[in-house]
Amino acid sequence: MDVRVSENGTRAVGRAVPAGSAGDASGDATGLGIDPDDLPDGLVVADGTGQVICFNAAAARITALHPRDVLGRKVDHALPLEDLEGRRWWQLTDPYGGLAIRAGQPERNLLLPGGREVLVAARYVREHPTGPIRRLVVTLRGTEARRRTERSHAELIATVAHELRSPLTSVKGFTATLLAKWERFTDDQKKLMLETVDADANRVTRLIAELLDISRIDSGRLEVRRQPVDIGAAVQRHVDAHVAAGQRADRFTVQVGRPLPALWADPDKVDQILGNLLENAVRHGEGTVTIEVAPAPATGGDRTTEGTAVTVSDEGPGIPEESMGRVFTRFWRGSKRGGTGLGLYIVKGIVEAHGGTISVGRAPGGGAQFRFILPVGAPAFMA
């Protein structure tokens, strides 16, 4: 075994590797290829007697301990870790005297003296599967990333709770009123209240669908059921729906370049993409909303295939340059409040699940411009 000491007192261990061999990629005499101080995670290594022989710079930063106070000491004294119930972790795990079949410990949240939290995992390196420990390798990570994830989840829960409260309060209020005073209302009043209940119930349904989509996108389980899709007809159908809802017909311009390649995509999810982009253009943009559909090359990985591009532009104030990189992140709402801020995040996930790309920029008229490209694709049975 080769041991060396770095400039800051950190000691690194490794097997000496002959120069020029495959393991000596950087000329490092240890054969590791990099200095342990270059690792992003904390690294603590103890020898067969439990003495710490490596304590890298990241470990010093995470634990707030100096290498001179750790190197050469027994690992259980140098790092007196406790679990969240106050039990001493080294006594519980007993790496040197415990079961010889154990290969290590999974990552868990532990505490250092003073209450500093660290994520700790261990691996037991043995001479043979059930032999004595030759080396104990411990990795340390800070809890900041986990806390950011927890804050993101908490923000999602708070957003959903806020968005659900309003429609559910409306549904509860109108149904309770109708049940208590049905005979006092005219048919027109009853119809208006029931239509409001129906609209609020649809709003709750959409929110639940968004949550399910986010769960599938984050876990990589978003399914795409490909069928032939007439993208031009789909765009026109959404425009007609906005006109029927009260928008002026002359506010929309649809341009379809022919011939378009045969597009195989999930029609429901294509409708979800178009619905979200057009609703954003109508609600947050101004002037004419232009939807262009044209053939375009789609790049996936290291190859380029046929694709269909859809561009949605408006003539509003547009999106500030400094916000362009955050448009497709969770909870981005731009300058105007309202909504969950999850729609564009879901749109990006759906486009990428199809193997496509989506981008945002500034339209010729100064407003926002969203452009997505879907590869022509094919169902699995035709692939």
Side-chain angles (χ1 to χ4, degrees), residues 56-180:
N56 73 348
R61 173 179 53 80
I62 293 169
T63 62
L65 297 173
H66 196 279
R68 66 169 173 265
D69 299 324
V70 177
L71 291 168
R73 298 182 62 193
K74 292 290 187 180
V75 66
D76 56 340
H77 291 103
L79 292 175
L81 296 165
E82 295 183 352
D83 65 15
L84 299 182
E85 297 178 3
R87 298 173 297 184
R88 296 182 179 179
W89 188 65
W90 293 112
Q91 291 183 1
L92 291 174
T93 57
D94 194 11
Y96 291 93
L99 291 175
I101 59 172
R102 285 180 179 167
Q105 295 292 332
E107 187 176 73
R108 64 189 63 197
N109 199 359
L110 299 175
L111 300 175
L112 284 166
R116 180 183 290 267
E117 294 185 40
V118 288
L119 298 173
V120 182
R123 177 165 176 80
Y124 307 156
V125 181
R126 304 179 185 275
E127 294 287 353
H128 50 84
T130 57
I133 289 180
R134 178 167 59 90
R135 191 179 302 165
L136 172 66
V137 181
V138 179
T139 60
L140 306 174
R141 292 197 300 133
T143 58
E144 293 83 3
R146 178 171 291 184
R147 291 189 183 280
R148 284 195 297 270
T149 301
E150 291 173 352
R151 283 196 297 270
S152 177
H153 290 163
E155 187 175 357
L156 177 61
I157 292 171
T159 300
V160 171
H162 175 76
E163 291 295 321
L164 283 173
R165 184 181 296 116
S166 177
L168 289 178
T169 299
S170 172
V171 169
K172 177 63 178 175
F174 278 119
T175 53
T177 301
L178 285 170
L179 287 172

Side-chain angles (χ1 to χ4, degrees), residues 9 102 105 125 236 241 263 304 311 318 331 348 361:
R102 285 180 179 167
Q105 295 292 332
V125 181
Q236 190 60 53
L263 176 64
T304 301
T311 306
F331 310 121
K348 183 175 184 288

Side-chain angles (χ1 to χ4, degrees), residues 62-373:
I62 293 169
T63 62
L65 297 173
H66 196 279
R68 66 169 173 265
D69 299 324
V70 177
L71 291 168
R73 298 182 62 193
K74 292 290 187 180
V75 66
D76 56 340
H77 291 103
L79 292 175
L81 296 165
E82 295 183 352
D83 65 15
L84 299 182
E85 297 178 3
R87 298 173 297 184
R88 296 182 179 179
W89 188 65
W90 293 112
Q91 291 183 1
L92 291 174
T93 57
D94 194 11
Y96 291 93
L99 291 175
I101 59 172
R102 285 180 179 167
Q105 295 292 332
E107 187 176 73
R108 64 189 63 197
N109 199 359
L110 299 175
L111 300 175
L112 284 166
R116 180 183 290 267
E117 294 185 40
V118 288
L119 298 173
V120 182
R123 177 165 176 80
Y124 307 156
V125 181
R126 304 179 185 275
E127 294 287 353
H128 50 84
T130 57
I133 289 180
R134 178 167 59 90
R135 191 179 302 165
L136 172 66
V137 181
V138 179
T139 60
L140 306 174
R141 292 197 300 133
T143 58
E144 293 83 3
R146 178 171 291 184
R147 291 189 183 280
R148 284 195 297 270
T149 301
E150 291 173 352
R151 283 196 297 270
S152 177
H153 290 163
E155 187 175 357
L156 177 61
I157 292 171
T159 300
V160 171
H162 175 76
E163 291 295 321
L164 283 173
R165 184 181 296 116
S166 177
L168 289 178
T169 299
S170 172
V171 169
K172 177 63 178 175
F174 278 119
T175 53
T177 301
L178 285 170
L179 287 172
K181 303 176 181 179
W182 179 266
E183 297 82 3
R184 300 185 185 182
F185 296 109
T186 66
D187 289 344
D188 288 341
Q189 290 173 324
K190 293 174 184 176
K191 181 180 179 182
L192 177 61
M193 285 190 278
L194 288 174
E195 286 175 345
T196 304
V197 169
D198 183 63
D200 286 331
N202 287 336
R203 182 176 166 189
V204 172
T205 301
R206 285 195 302 271
L207 180 58
I208 293 172
E210 285 185 348
L211 293 176
L212 292 174
D213 285 336
I214 287 176
S215 174
R216 295 182 185 116
I217 290 169
D218 289 347
S219 63
R221 295 185 293 107
L222 186 66
E223 294 184 1
V224 174
R225 303 181 186 277
R226 296 185 186 272
Q227 301 175 33
V229 174
D230 186 339
I231 191 72
V235 168
Q236 190 60 53
R237 186 167 62 250
H238 281 272
V239 169
D240 292 342
H242 280 283
V243 173
Q247 293 292 328
R248 302 190 323 272
D250 60 1
R251 189 179 178 188
F252 300 93
T253 298
V254 179
Q255 302 171 358
V256 180
R258 303 287 184 180
L260 293 173
L263 176 64
W264 286 76
D266 189 316
D268 292 335
K269 290 181 171 52
V270 168
D271 279 339
Q272 198 170 349
I273 297 170
L274 294 173
N276 194 292
L277 295 182
L278 264 68
E279 183 177 353
N280 281 348
V282 170
R283 178 182 298 176
H284 304 296
E286 297 173 3
T288 302
V289 176
T290 303
I291 307 101
E292 302 175 63
V293 184
T299 302
D302 57 353
R303 61 192 183 92
T304 301
T305 61
E306 283 188 294
T308 299
V310 179
T311 306
V312 180
S313 310
D314 63 68
E315 298 175 343
I319 298 170
E321 290 292 335
E322 62 272 16
S323 300
M324 291 287 188
R326 298 185 290 111
V327 168
F328 298 108
T329 59
R330 289 186 185 186
F331 310 121
W332 186 85
R333 299 183 180 91
S335 59
K336 298 182 180 180
R337 306 297 293 178
T340 61
L342 301 173
L344 291 175
Y345 176 81
I346 293 172
V347 164
K348 183 175 184 288
I350 293 173
V351 170
E352 292 179 346
H354 280 81
T357 58
I358 186 168
S359 60
V360 61
R362 188 165 294 280
Q369 181 180 84
F370 289 88
R371 174 183 171 88
F372 68 92
I373 302 176

